[in-house]
């Protein structure tokens, strides 16, 4: 039996920065988490990194604010 890869329940993009919102199950119920990455061009090939430059930090913060608001809305609908 092959395990299917789970998908994020939402994605946020700001330029080359991306955030994925995940719904996770635990013994105490479910919770949400966020992963981030940054796309960059290496020659002609797009790659991903979880390392951010100084110039990425403010846009990353804005993106995390959007993720926070989205998770809050999801939690309200979970009730």
């Amino acid at each position: 039996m092959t395990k299917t890869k789970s998908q994020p329940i939402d994605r946020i993009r700001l330029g080359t920065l991306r955030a994925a919102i995940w719904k996770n199950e635990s013994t105490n119920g479910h919770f949400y988490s966020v992963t981030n990455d940054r796309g960059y061009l290496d020659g002609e090939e797009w790659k991903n990194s979880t390392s951010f430059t100084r110039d990425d930090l403010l846009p990353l913060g804005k993106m995390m604010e959007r993720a926070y608001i989205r998770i809050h809305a999801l939690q309200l609908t979970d009730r």
Side-chain angles (χ1 to χ4, degrees), residues 16-34:
T16 60
L17 302 176
R18 295 177 296 227
I21 299 174
W22 302 86
K23 186 173 184 178
N24 304 280
E25 299 296 331
S26 76
T27 56
N28 297 324
H30 64 270
F31 63 95
Y32 296 94
S33 62
V34 179

Side-chain angles (χ1 to χ4, degrees), residues 2 6 9 11 14-22 24 31-32 34 43 45 50 53-54 62 64-65 69 75:
T2 58
S6 62
I9 61 167
R11 295 172 201 254
L14 187 59
T16 60
L17 302 176
R18 295 177 296 227
I21 299 174
W22 302 86
N24 304 280
F31 63 95
Y32 296 94
V34 179
E45 182 180 355
T50 55
T53 67
R54 183 204 65 183
K62 290 295 185 183
M64 291 300 91
E65 181 179 23
I69 291 167
Q75 290 171 327

